[in-house]
Amino acid sequence: MNGLATRYAEVSAGAEDRLTPAERSVVRKELAELAALDLQDTAVSSLEVMRAVAAAVPERLYGDSGDVLRRMHEIAGFGNHQSCLSSLPTVRACFELGLVAGTGGTPPPADLIVGRGHIAPSFYAERYVRGELPFLPLTTLHRGGMTGVVHRDWGFENTMRYSLGVGLAQAVSRAQELAGRGDDRKVVCLAGDGELHEGVTFECIRYAHDTGLDNLVLVVDANDRGIEPLLKPLNRDYLRAYFPTVAEVDGTDAASVRKALAGLLEAPGRAVLVCRTRKGEHSFKLPAAPPRAPSFAATTGRMLADVPTASGRPPVVFTADMANRFGLRGHVPYHNTGLAETLSVGLTLALPEDDLKVVATDAMYYMDSLSMLTEAATGVRNLMVLAGRNWAAWGGSPNAFNLLSLLTETRVYEPVTEAEFHACARRLAAEPGTVHVLSMVDARFTPPAADCAQAVDDGVWINDPGTDDADTAVVTFGYATTLVEEANARLRLPHLHCAALNPLFSRPVLERLRRFRRVVSVEYNGSHGGFGSWLRSRYLLPVTVHGVEKDIDNCVHDEQLRRHGMSPAQLAALLRSVRTEAGESRAAARS
Amino acid sequence: MNGLATRYAEVSAGAEDRLTPAERSVVRKELAELAALDLQDTAVSSLEVMRAVAAAVPERLYGDSGDVLRRMHEIAGFGNHQSCLSSLPTVRACFELGLVAGTGGTPPPADLIVGRGHIAPSFYAERYVRGELPFLPLTTLHRGGMTGVVHRDWGFENTMRYSLGVGLAQAVSRAQELAGRGDDRKVVCLAGDGELHEGVTFECIRYAHDTGLDNLVLVVDANDRGIEPLLKPLNRDYLRAYFPTVAEVDGTDAASVRKALAGLLEAPGRAVLVCRTRKGEHSFKLPAAPPRAPSFAATTGRMLADVPTASGRPPVVFTADMANRFGLRGHVPYHNTGLAETLSVGLTLALPEDDLKVVATDAMYYMDSLSMLTEAATGVRNLMVLAGRNWAAWGGSPNAFNLLSLLTETRVYEPVTEAEFHACARRLAAEPGTVHVLSMVDARFTPPAADCAQAVDDGVWINDPGTDDADTAVVTFGYATTLVEEANARLRLPHLHCAALNPLFSRPVLERLRRFRRVVSVEYNGSHGGFGSWLRSRYLLPVTVHGVEKDIDNCVHDEQLRRHGMSPAQLAALLRSVRTEAGESRAAARS
């Protein structure tokens, strides 16, 4: 049995109770075929391996890719089902035109770049009904098997990390390259209408026009929604200003899309194909799913409504399409800027000083707005930046908070209790010239036994060391505190919790820390330039830093924790090992 | 004599030999008036103080603001004279319409936000001929007196830090705020056609359209140039897609601009006024200026042409309008993306693996492209990022390199010799999966006595400590090496030079460093999360960090160095003081 088979068996087994008997039976057969493969050649892509399995087990459970898509989401339990569905006819048209790499003997007539990164499952569903994928990987979507975002390893021409607008840049880059070497193929780029709100897509479109790039065909899924409904439909006049040809079809009909796209590929020049589609709620929910408690991030709106403001007016809130994620609706008024993060920061620049300004989007999306944030940090008072923290199926960036902490006049906190959230808000009110970035965790967790609400820049003992213990202490940042608390339940090492990414310790805390022979820091955050690194740099404490070292994958939270060594079981092992080491070195010194 | 008078006397004196006798005489009178003012009230703006001086010395040397603008640039010796000139008639029209704050008794009929931040001198010139400013501050432009970029302190409604596109965000923010509180004033925003290439300007324009904002009037100086000529003229159809009214006038005629703008302010709804203008070379040069040696950054093109590439093909270079600054022309082919930095990074995403890709813009401009750079760092091989480093009249960001160094798969270097530049290029060739960011300094300096070309991640001794010296060492990063070398010429402390922002010391260097009682690090770079901070964090060396603590001002290089404690004289004093301290504490310990 090869490693891949072991992994897929394990991940697929986690969903076994959601499979029909027929699905279970097929998956078993496919697993057996996968296990029998000789996978010495590591250069073979996941798609190629799975295609071999599909060839060995040719029976198809479903003949319609819409059914496959639905089953994939029912089995996963979540995902962007509606986005995938709205693009499915277009994806089918791309298959029929031979645009999808590796599906025919002949080279594709055009290069296909998929900018709507999260519609990868639509391609999988099409590949399944065409006999190019087995059912097995489809049962592992988002959970550590198959990735839900386009990736070269799964037969796409491009890989995405969930930065909207990147696909169009990839497409223009490719188109310019092909043109430059005299290759007359075109590049087809699939994008969404919400995605076209991103400034970088304009930069690409304007550049393609101004350089006379004539081999780009932009296909837009116009479903009138980003995560929430768009304020106005896609502006066709804007597209006409930059493309000589703008065609429009019923995007719910694959045959129409195919015919129109074939025509645009044949005709000379740059073109847009607008596919009118429909899309329901952005996030998939199982019809029978029991109501779940909201994540900590989703309680932000409620907490925000209770924050007293200097102006006495409600906070002025701007969100780049993420009202739902922060639970704003019904609690505070807000402006939805659409998928335009730099704008959402920019809109805070000229408001009255004493208004509380709040910006809310995912942490990684600020990474293309740090100059604008610097403008805000130097010119705006009373600015609270809410940075959503997911790092699960969504992806994310391990270094986003470390980057934010380096901005001038900026402090970063990760509150994990309501009291800590309000302590951060009070700190902002007391120091309105400093931007307060609050990392808001998209997870459900038990609040820690103690919090930093009384002194939000300091640390607070979760397990008090007492006066004698001088062996090993663990210091944690934000959400990692809850993971370590669980990991440390039996071992009960002295444990200090911090809400500040760059804590400023009081003398008693610092003096107590200095007396330990060994200090381990844990953060579910990039280790380079992060919390532990700060403790070393600021206090010259010989801290062993345990943080995120690798890039973030696209998979569910539990699996993500495991991949970064952050699961409570892994952390318990870490704490045991450091205590043992410290104990042993002490024993050795005494002997 | 008050502090302001002292400062202006000092700065103005530096340009005295460029003043005409009549100018000298007036400046003397104005200085006397300034010195006689009681400036206890610190809330008074620079503009208000200077207006009082102008009232006391009413004589005017020039009646035409164009002449004033020319004299300001002749006296300063550099600046963006042509940009200022192309907007001057529009600026004049704004004065005539009473749009410039504080120039009339009545409140302005609309709020004026100046997005072309570097046309501040046009406003000063107009204020001068209108008797609102004395000549004195005009003689101090860019040199530590009057700032060349719009600032609230000089009578503008907004302050800018030279991030293009920010002005439009400020204008939309203000317009939305006015509309929200039922104020029916409009907001006029002055922008440039090159500036409209920035993605954020599209985000603003689209948002204003989609939210039905009807109180914004965008005035565009369409001179068909950014720093270099635009590939295509401003796209009027694009503007028509988002604004109900798009008018166009001869922007070289103030009366036409005034009439058209007055009409748009009267009429209901959102509008654009395109002012057709002309602009010469972007940067001002004195006609009789002797040829100067190029800055180190300006030799980049020549050095780049000599870099061997894996593909054998010339490097594929993208620059956001900065070919001149990096001396690209005539040395390497390049694509000018216009003022669209995120695009310039994005265009590297889909090129052949073995091509050397180079992106070239100012360091601070990458701060709105860090997510795109992360995409590149995880997906592009052989990527060299050239980050121009000026921090002079241009402004800049002290933390840009520290931010870049935190990106995944990225290393930052600041070469100060041609050999170091090539060592960085070799390192990239050897480790093509890591983005190599090269800080290219816009200064003329003598190369240091030794460089890191042999081991670019290590340090090299400029002054070798010998075996016995264990008192105080100084460790420097990049350009700071040259400043410290000069400061240390007499003192001759042991001095280690590094080209890497995050050096990885060889054992001999590290062991030698550890033997010093005191280590001082110097970097002309943000101290938080920078070079010295890395030495503390990585090696737990008790380093005293001397770096840039404050935000960057808009003034010439020498003045900038002085403000950040980086002039050789200040550094010499710093080195003397640390050695003395260390020496004394040692003496005290011995006694």
Side-chain angles (χ1 to χ4, degrees):
Chain A
M1 184 128 159
N2 55 58
L4 208 63
T6 311
R7 179 150 68 86
Y8 274 89
E10 189 186 310
V11 180
S12 184
E16 209 181 352
D17 58 340
R18 301 192 197 161
L19 302 188
T20 64
E23 287 169 350
R24 255 196 294 265
S25 150
V26 162
V27 163
R28 251 195 309 269
K29 281 188 235 171
E30 291 169 343
L31 267 174
E33 292 294 339
L34 177 60
L37 290 178
D38 174 13
L39 297 180
Q40 297 303 314
D41 182 0
T42 54
V44 172
S45 75
S46 301
L47 179 67
E48 289 169 80
V49 171
M50 289 301 172
R51 185 179 285 148
V53 173
V57 187
E59 65 184 285
R60 299 291 88 183
L61 290 158
Y62 305 95
D64 182 273
S65 53
D67 290 334
V68 180
L69 205 48
R70 181 179 46 79
R71 285 300 296 144
M72 287 169 75
H73 284 86
E74 285 170 354
I75 294 166
F78 70 101
N80 300 302
H81 182 224
Q82 290 293 328
S83 277
C84 292
L85 210 54
S86 97
S87 283
L88 188 59
T90 301
V91 170
R92 195 173 295 157
C94 290
F95 272 88
E96 290 171 357
L97 290 169
L99 294 175
V100 183
T103 53
T106 53
D111 278 10
L112 180 65
I113 301 284
V114 182
R116 292 193 87 202
H118 56 299
I119 62 166
S122 302
F123 286 82
Y124 305 150
E126 279 294 321
R127 285 195 192 268
Y128 176 79
V129 297
R130 285 157 203 276
E132 294 168 22
L133 275 181
F135 200 73
L136 168 65
L138 309 187
T139 66
T140 66
L141 187 70
H142 297 309
R143 295 183 304 109
M146 194 166 218
T147 167
V149 182
V150 302
H151 197 288
R152 285 202 181 82
D153 204 31
W154 286 102
F156 295 95
E157 282 286 300
N158 62 317
T159 294
M160 289 201 60
R161 299 175 75 261
Y162 255 77
S163 279
L164 288 167
V166 166
L168 198 47
Q170 290 171 327
V172 172
S173 172
R174 174 71 61 92
Q176 187 169 48
E177 212 274 317
L178 290 178
R181 62 171 139 102
D183 188 325
D184 61 1
R185 260 180 309 159
K186 290 194 173 186
V187 175
V188 173
C189 178
L190 301 193
D193 51 0
E195 180 179 350
L196 294 185
H197 287 180
E198 295 283 353
V200 67
T201 62
F202 165 77
E203 294 188 3
C204 294
I205 286 171
R206 198 274 311 162
Y207 182 75
H209 170 269
D210 286 2
T211 55
L213 205 62
D214 61 3
N215 57 347
L216 176 71
V217 178
L218 173 62
V219 178
V220 186
D221 182 333
N223 53 32
D224 295 334
R225 282 189 81 107
I227 300 174
E228 302 203 24
L230 304 188
L231 292 174
K232 288 273 173 71
L234 174 68
N235 190 328
R236 274 73 164 174
D237 287 336
Y238 158 52
L239 296 176
R240 280 185 207 107
Y242 286 109
F243 288 85
T245 305
V246 178
E248 183 145 354
V249 289
D250 175 0
T252 65
D253 178 40
S256 304
V257 175
R258 183 184 56 194
K259 191 170 158 221
L261 184 51
L264 295 176
L265 286 172
E266 279 299 315
R270 202 168 60 254
V272 182
L273 179 61
V274 177
C275 301
R276 278 189 319 276
T277 63
R278 284 185 296 273
K279 175 178 158 187
E281 283 290 325
H282 186 75
S283 295
F284 178 78
K285 286 183 196 69
L286 283 174
R292 294 178 76 187
S295 74
F296 187 70
T299 67
T300 309
R302 183 176 54 71
M303 295 191 289
L304 208 48
D306 291 338
V307 170
T309 62
S311 66
R313 291 183 288 271
V316 188
V317 184
F318 300 98
T319 182
D321 228 20
M322 295 204 173
N324 198 40
R325 185 155 165 201
F326 293 95
L328 302 180
R329 197 173 297 122
H331 294 291
V332 286
Y334 62 89
H335 302 275
N336 183 3
T337 60
L339 297 170
E341 293 77 20
T342 310
L343 170 73
S344 71
V345 177
L347 285 175
T348 66
L349 291 178
L351 304 182
E353 275 202 0
D354 61 351
D355 268 336
L356 172 61
K357 297 110 194 154
V358 181
V359 185
T361 191
D362 185 89
M364 77 173 290
Y365 287 163
Y366 291 108
M367 288 171 61
D368 273 350
S369 309
L370 295 183
S371 190
M372 188 61 94
L373 253 176
T374 302
E375 287 282 351
T378 54
V380 174
R381 292 172 73 81
N382 291 296
L383 176 57
M384 179 188 285
V385 169
L386 300 173
R389 174 97 117 67
N390 187 309
W391 297 14
W394 180 256
S397 179
N399 53 0
F401 292 101
N402 303 341
L403 291 165
L404 287 161
S405 77
L406 284 189
L407 294 191
T408 187
E409 304 298 338
T410 300
R411 297 266 309 160
V412 175
Y413 298 87
E414 185 160 280
V416 288
T417 68
E418 185 161 353
E420 278 186 346
F421 180 90
H422 283 290
C424 294
R426 283 196 304 275
R427 195 189 186 290
L428 170 60
E431 197 178 311
T434 298
V435 174
H436 283 57
V437 175
L438 273 54
S439 162
M440 301 304 300
V441 181
D442 270 335
R444 293 153 183 87
F445 51 84
T446 310
D451 73 17
C452 298
Q454 294 305 312
V456 77
D457 286 311
D458 204 355
V460 66
W461 293 101
I462 300 277
N463 283 337
D464 200 299
T467 45
D468 293 340
D469 192 344
D471 190 301
T472 304
V474 55
V475 189
T476 57
F477 167 57
Y479 176 52
T481 297
T482 69
L483 302 169
V484 166
E485 200 176 19
E486 190 179 337
N488 192 33
R490 298 179 123 214
L491 207 60
R492 298 196 60 77
L493 291 184
H495 175 192
L496 188 77
H497 160 67
C498 297
L501 180 61
N502 301 134
L504 302 166
F505 289 135
S506 61
R507 183 175 287 230
V509 166
L510 184 58
E511 285 180 353
R512 191 66 196 80
L513 267 185
R514 288 203 196 283
R515 286 171 47 210
F516 287 98
R517 287 176 199 90
R518 185 95 175 229
V519 178
V520 179
S521 73
V522 181
E523 61 197 300
Y524 186 36
N525 176 51
S527 60
H528 180 31
F531 172 76
S533 169
W534 165 265
L535 298 182
R536 290 175 61 92
S537 174
R538 168 90 183 186
Y539 298 110
L540 294 180
L541 284 167
V543 172
T544 304
V545 181
H546 185 71
V548 175
E549 300 285 347
K550 290 182 302 184
D551 197 16
I552 298 299
D553 300 304
N554 290 295
C555 55
V556 288
H557 190 64
D558 288 349
E559 171 64 15
Q560 195 76 257
L561 287 179
R562 201 187 57 73
R563 289 191 189 185
H564 297 295
M566 290 289 163
S567 74
Q570 289 167 310
L571 291 173
L574 172 82
L575 298 182
R576 274 195 305 273
S577 78
V578 290
R579 201 184 54 170
T580 310
E581 262 182 67
E584 277 173 5
S585 58
R586 199 153 26 105
R590 270 198 300 256
S591 69
Chain B
M1 185 129 157
N2 53 59
L4 207 63
T6 310
R7 179 150 68 86
Y8 275 89
E10 189 186 309
V11 180
S12 184
E16 209 182 352
D17 57 340
R18 301 193 196 159
L19 302 188
T20 64
E23 288 168 349
R24 256 196 295 264
S25 150
V26 162
V27 164
R28 250 194 310 269
K29 281 187 234 172
E30 291 168 343
L31 266 174
E33 292 294 338
L34 176 60
L37 289 179
D38 174 14
L39 297 180
Q40 297 303 314
D41 182 0
T42 54
V44 172
S45 75
S46 301
L47 179 66
E48 289 168 83
V49 172
M50 290 299 173
R51 185 179 286 147
V53 173
V57 187
E59 66 184 283
R60 301 289 90 182
L61 291 157
Y62 304 95
D64 182 273
S65 52
D67 291 335
V68 181
L69 206 48
R70 180 178 46 79
R71 285 300 296 143
M72 287 168 77
H73 284 85
E74 285 170 352
I75 294 167
F78 69 101
N80 300 300
H81 182 224
Q82 290 293 328
S83 276
C84 293
L85 211 54
S86 96
S87 284
L88 188 60
T90 300
V91 170
R92 196 173 294 158
C94 289
F95 273 87
E96 290 171 357
L97 290 169
L99 294 176
V100 183
T103 54
T106 53
D111 279 9
L112 180 66
I113 301 284
V114 182
R116 294 192 86 201
H118 56 298
I119 62 166
S122 302
F123 285 83
Y124 304 149
E126 278 295 320
R127 285 197 192 267
Y128 176 79
V129 297
R130 285 157 203 276
E132 294 167 22
L133 275 180
F135 200 73
L136 168 65
L138 310 186
T139 66
T140 67
L141 187 71
H142 297 309
R143 296 184 303 109
M146 195 166 219
T147 168
V149 182
V150 301
H151 197 289
R152 283 201 183 81
D153 205 31
W154 286 100
F156 294 95
E157 282 286 301
N158 62 317
T159 294
M160 289 201 60
R161 300 175 75 261
Y162 254 77
S163 279
L164 288 167
V166 166
L168 198 48
Q170 291 171 326
V172 173
S173 172
R174 175 70 62 90
Q176 187 168 50
E177 212 274 318
L178 290 177
R181 63 171 139 103
D183 188 323
D184 61 0
R185 259 180 310 159
K186 291 194 173 186
V187 174
V188 173
C189 178
L190 301 192
D193 51 0
E195 180 179 350
L196 294 186
H197 287 180
E198 295 283 353
V200 67
T201 62
F202 165 76
E203 294 188 3
C204 294
I205 286 171
R206 197 274 311 163
Y207 181 75
H209 170 268
D210 287 2
T211 55
L213 205 62
D214 61 3
N215 58 347
L216 176 71
V217 178
L218 173 62
V219 178
V220 186
D221 183 334
N223 52 32
D224 294 335
R225 283 189 80 107
I227 299 172
E228 303 203 25
L230 304 187
L231 291 174
K232 288 272 173 72
L234 174 68
N235 189 328
R236 273 73 164 175
D237 288 336
Y238 158 53
L239 297 175
R240 281 185 206 104
Y242 286 109
F243 288 84
T245 305
V246 178
E248 184 145 353
V249 289
D250 174 1
T252 65
D253 178 40
S256 303
V257 175
R258 183 184 56 194
K259 191 173 157 216
L261 184 51
L264 295 176
L265 286 173
E266 279 298 315
R270 202 169 59 254
V272 182
L273 179 62
V274 177
C275 301
R276 278 190 318 277
T277 63
R278 284 186 296 274
K279 175 178 157 186
E281 283 290 325
H282 186 75
S283 294
F284 179 79
K285 286 183 196 71
L286 283 174
R292 294 179 77 187
S295 74
F296 187 70
T299 67
T300 308
R302 184 177 53 71
M303 295 192 287
L304 207 49
D306 291 337
V307 170
T309 62
S311 66
R313 290 183 289 271
V316 187
V317 184
F318 301 97
T319 182
D321 228 20
M322 295 204 173
N324 198 39
R325 186 157 165 199
F326 292 96
L328 302 180
R329 197 174 295 122
H331 294 290
V332 285
Y334 62 89
H335 302 274
N336 183 3
T337 60
L339 297 170
E341 292 77 19
T342 310
L343 170 72
S344 71
V345 177
L347 286 175
T348 66
L349 291 179
L351 305 182
E353 275 202 359
D354 61 351
D355 268 336
L356 172 61
K357 297 109 194 154
V358 181
V359 185
T361 190
D362 185 88
M364 77 173 289
Y365 287 164
Y366 291 107
M367 288 172 61
D368 273 350
S369 308
L370 295 183
S371 189
M372 188 61 95
L373 254 176
T374 302
E375 287 281 351
T378 54
V380 174
R381 292 172 72 81
N382 291 297
L383 176 58
M384 179 188 285
V385 170
L386 300 173
R389 174 97 117 67
N390 188 308
W391 298 15
W394 179 256
S397 178
N399 53 0
F401 292 101
N402 303 341
L403 291 165
L404 287 161
S405 76
L406 284 190
L407 294 191
T408 187
E409 305 297 339
T410 300
R411 299 264 310 158
V412 176
Y413 298 88
E414 185 160 280
V416 289
T417 68
E418 185 162 352
E420 278 187 344
F421 179 90
H422 283 289
C424 295
R426 282 195 305 274
R427 195 188 186 291
L428 170 60
E431 196 178 312
T434 298
V435 174
H436 284 56
V437 174
L438 274 54
S439 163
M440 301 304 299
V441 181
D442 270 335
R444 295 154 181 86
F445 51 84
T446 310
D451 71 18
C452 298
Q454 293 306 311
V456 77
D457 287 309
D458 203 357
V460 65
W461 292 103
I462 300 277
N463 282 337
D464 200 299
T467 45
D468 295 338
D469 192 342
D471 190 301
T472 303
V474 55
V475 189
T476 57
F477 167 56
Y479 175 53
T481 297
T482 69
L483 302 169
V484 167
E485 199 176 19
E486 190 180 337
N488 192 33
R490 299 181 122 214
L491 208 59
R492 298 197 59 78
L493 292 185
H495 175 192
L496 188 78
H497 160 66
C498 298
L501 180 61
N502 301 135
L504 302 166
F505 289 135
S506 61
R507 183 177 288 231
V509 166
L510 184 58
E511 284 181 354
R512 191 65 196 82
L513 267 185
R514 288 203 196 282
R515 286 172 48 210
F516 286 98
R517 286 175 201 89
R518 186 94 177 229
V519 178
V520 179
S521 72
V522 181
E523 62 197 299
Y524 187 36
N525 175 51
S527 60
H528 180 33
F531 172 77
S533 168
W534 164 266
L535 298 182
R536 290 176 61 92
S537 174
R538 168 90 183 186
Y539 298 111
L540 295 179
L541 284 167
V543 171
T544 304
V545 181
H546 184 72
V548 175
E549 300 285 347
K550 289 182 302 183
D551 197 15
I552 297 298
D553 300 303
N554 290 294
C555 56
V556 287
H557 190 64
D558 288 349
E559 172 64 15
Q560 195 77 257
L561 287 178
R562 200 188 57 73
R563 289 191 190 186
H564 297 295
M566 292 287 163
S567 73
Q570 289 167 310
L571 291 173
L574 172 82
L575 299 182
R576 273 194 306 273
S577 78
V578 290
R579 200 185 55 171
T580 309
E581 262 181 67
E584 276 173 5
S585 56
R586 198 153 27 108
R590 270 198 300 255
S591 71

